Structures are given as structure tokens and as C-alpha cells.
Amino acid sequence: MPTKSDDAIRKITFVGLGKMGRPMAMRLIASGFDVTCFDCVPALKAPLVKSGANDADTLSEAVQGADAVITMLPDGNIVRDVMMGQQGAASIMKKGSLLIDMSSSAPIGTRALGKELQELGIAMIDAPVSGGMAKALDGSLAIMVGGEPAQAERARPVLEVMGSNVFHTGRLGSGHAVKALNNFVSAAGLAAACEAVLIAEAFGVDPEILVDVLNASTGRNNSTQVKMKPHVLSGNFASGFALALMSKDIGTAADLAKELEVSNPSLSSLPVLKGQAAIWAQALGELGDQADHTEIFRYLKQSSER
Ligand code: NAD
């Protein structure tokens, strides 16, 4: 239940009701927050309004009077557009309110946006998540929070409704940096497991047995445990996390490294990150926007057959 103190967050506007935003907003409604929902696809609001969310036809109407606006949008450029673009949520939000960007945005852009919002009297933290749709549904996401400690604490009662592990990672943008790095590591684990399956199959080893062995051995990772059998070996490819979003996240990690290379020349090499960024970008080019990220297996298989 929301707490009551001077700057406590009670009235929340949730922008971005896609695969992740919908279940996250639903948890806030069920926990007693006063939630208004908005998405550029209006039909997505219906189940939330039915569950008690306030309806709003426009973004301006939705953010009016909110203590906090949560964004769960595809990327940071869209977050910037929602806040500062033509629709201009920032010009409507009240002074002292808080933007919580839970999207996987790019950290450098987040810092710039936070500075501009500060000049308008609006605070910002970044609070991206890891865990996917299943953890969004049961409120057990990992959440990495960047920003002023006081604002991170102010948001904690809200974030703890959606996540069971809430980390304060440092200053504004650090949550987005850590999220991009997490997905780089996660993507490399999935791509390696997919290639291992291709090699095992060629040698006549049953892929199911390979995955069982990985899961009982040191090659185990999140992908071998929760993605390989249900989404890759089954051929379902329906994890709910788009290949386009994974490719964007690895690109974000690569862009960050490039930015930091200026003052840290030792970061100019990074062959694993550069290799992953190239593989996932090529896969996106071949499989298109609608592909699930587990379809990286299809791309690697097709590449091996050329
Ligand atoms: P999604 O594409 O399902 O949802 C995004 C929503 O944003 C859509 O409903 C879209 O209509 C809406 N939107 C786009 N532009 C808008 C605008 N200008 N105004 C209002 N609404 C707008 O994406 P998702 O899978 O829910 O991911 C959301 C974010 O969370 C992304 O940054 C993604 O990288 C991250 N993420 C996703 C997962 C996952 O498993 N899907 C896990 C962790 C993090």
C-alpha cells in the first residue's frame, strides 16, 4: 500500500502498455496506487481501466497532476519524445514530480534528459528491469536504479511492487548502463548455447541431452535454463522479448564503451562485445523487427549452412 509522507508517490501515470508495461501497471493498480494509463495504441488501456486505472485520451491529460510518470517504452529516443517532443509531457507535469524511466534506454541520453528535466523542476531516475514477462506478472523483476539517493528512496515503495531485487547502481544513467551490460552478457550466453547445439547435433548428440548437461555443469546460464528447451529446441521462439530490443541493448553497451574509450583507451578492443553487437545487428537485418530474440538460433543455423 502506498505510504503517506510529503513527497510520497500516490498518483502514477504509466506510459507504455506493451508486453512488460501492461503487467507492471496491473501490479501497481492491485497494490492500491492511483494509476492512469497511456499508450499510443489506445486499445491497450482497456484491461487496465477495467481493473481500476483512470482513463485518459491524451498524454497531456494522462500526466496532469501525477506525482510520478513511469515510462516503459521501446527506447530512450521515444522516452525523450514523450517528455520533450510535440506531446511534451514535461511541460504538463507538476514541479517536484518524478520521471521513472523503466525502459532500457541509453545512459548518455538519460543523463542529458535528466538535466533538462531538472531545469523544469522535474526529477528523474532510471530504473530498467530484467526478468521478462513472467517476472513482470509476479512482481519479481530485478530493478537497477540510477539517480539521486533521495529520489531512489522516494520511488522504492513503487518499485518494490514490481520487483523483488531493487539495486541502487549509482548516479543517473547507471541503471541503464548496467541493464545494457546485463543484456550483453545474457545475449552472449544465449548465442554460445545456440552454437553449442549446432555443433553437438552435427556430432550426433541429442540437443536435449546437451542442454541437460549444461544445466548440471559450469556452462549453465539463464538461457540454458529458461530459454533453450521451451523456446529454441521446441521451435516456438516465443519468449516475449523482441530480437530488435536485444540488438538495441547490445548496441547501447557498445555505444557506451565507445563513448568511454575517449578517456579510457583500454576500452578500444573489447572483441566479445563488438562481435556480439555485429552478430545481433546482422540477425535483426535478416530476421526483421517481428522476430523473437530466441530466433538468434535460426540466424546462427542459417549462417552455418551458407
Ligand atoms: P513492447 O514493444 O511490447 O511495448 C512498448 C509499448 O510502447 C507499446 O505498447 C507501444 O505502443 C508503446 N509506445 C511506443 N511509442 C509510444 C509513444 N510515443 N507513446 C506512448 N506509447 C508508445 O516492448 P516491451 O517488450 O514491453 O519492452 C518495453 C521496454 O522494456 C523496452 O525498452 C525493452 O527493451 C525493455 N525490456 C523488455 C523485456 C521483455 O522481456 N519484453 C524485458 C526487460 C526489459
Side-chain angles (χ1 to χ4, degrees):
M1 203 51 186
T3 53
K4 294 213 167 166
S5 77
D6 271 346
D7 69 350
I9 295 167
R10 286 180 284 275
K11 201 167 157 34
I12 298 172
T13 299
F14 205 108
V15 184
L17 309 172
K19 295 185 194 76
M20 294 295 284
R22 224 163 28 242
M24 289 161 70
M26 201 63 98
R27 289 197 64 81
L28 293 173
I29 297 165
S31 301
F33 287 96
D34 179 354
V35 180
T36 303
C37 289
F38 184 79
D39 193 286
C40 63
V41 179
L44 295 175
K45 284 181 303 184
L48 296 148
V49 170
K50 209 169 162 197
S51 301
N54 307 308
D55 201 356
D57 288 332
T58 62
L59 178 65
S60 318
E61 201 187 309
V63 300
Q64 195 112 41
D67 301 320
V69 171
I70 296 180
T71 42
M72 193 54 175
L73 293 163
D75 62 44
N77 293 330
I78 297 177
V79 174
R80 163 170 283 279
D81 191 47
V82 160
M83 294 303 291
M84 313 300 276
Q86 257 190 349
Q87 305 177 87
S91 64
I92 312 280
M93 284 169 70
K94 64 181 183 189
K95 297 241 177 311
S97 61
L98 175 66
L99 168 65
I100 306 176
D101 182 19
M102 302 193 76
S103 332
S104 304
S105 303
I108 308 278
T110 298
R111 289 226 176 123
L113 179 60
K115 216 167 156 206
E116 289 167 56
L117 289 175
Q118 196 177 28
E119 283 160 17
L120 298 172
I122 298 166
M124 176 178 184
I125 58 171
D126 47 319
V129 309
S130 180
M133 279 157 48
K135 294 194 172 195
L137 272 168
D138 71 10
S140 65
L141 292 165
I143 305 183
M144 35 230 111
V145 185
E148 289 297 322
Q151 296 297 343
E153 276 315 300
R154 181 183 177 197
R156 188 171 280 278
V158 176
L159 300 177
E160 284 180 342
V161 168
M162 296 177 277
S164 52
N165 284 300
V166 179
F167 299 92
H168 188 214
T169 49
R171 62 189 180 130
L172 186 66
S174 62
H176 282 151
V178 171
K179 168 65 189 175
L181 294 172
N182 174 75
N183 278 22
F184 155 50
V185 173
S186 170
L190 175 59
C194 289
E195 282 191 354
V197 163
L198 295 174
I199 300 163
E201 254 182 334
F203 197 63
V205 175
D206 181 348
E208 299 263 343
I209 292 178
L210 170 74
V211 172
D212 286 340
V213 172
L214 292 175
N215 284 334
S217 309
T218 51
R220 180 178 63 241
N221 63 42
N222 180 65
S223 296
T224 64
Q225 289 180 309
V226 307
K227 297 178 187 172
M228 289 308 289
K229 282 195 183 182
H231 299 296
V232 175
L233 300 188
S234 69
N236 283 341
F237 303 116
S239 76
F241 182 46
L243 194 147
L245 293 177
M246 181 61 109
S247 176
K248 167 208 61 170
D249 291 339
I250 306 164
T252 299
D255 289 347
L256 179 62
K258 192 141 192 59
E259 193 79 31
L260 296 171
E261 195 186 308
V262 178
S263 47
N264 299 270
S266 62
L267 293 179
S268 66
S269 175
L270 305 178
V272 181
L273 175 55
K274 284 182 182 168
Q276 285 297 307
I279 287 167
W280 287 83
Q282 282 157 17
L284 178 60
E286 244 173 69
L287 301 179
D289 269 1
Q290 299 306 309
D292 189 82
H293 81 291
T294 53
E295 290 181 70
I296 190 71
F297 178 76
R298 286 182 47 223
Y299 167 76
L300 293 169
K301 190 169 161 61
Q302 280 162 18
S303 305
S304 72
E305 285 162 355
R306 270 181 210 131

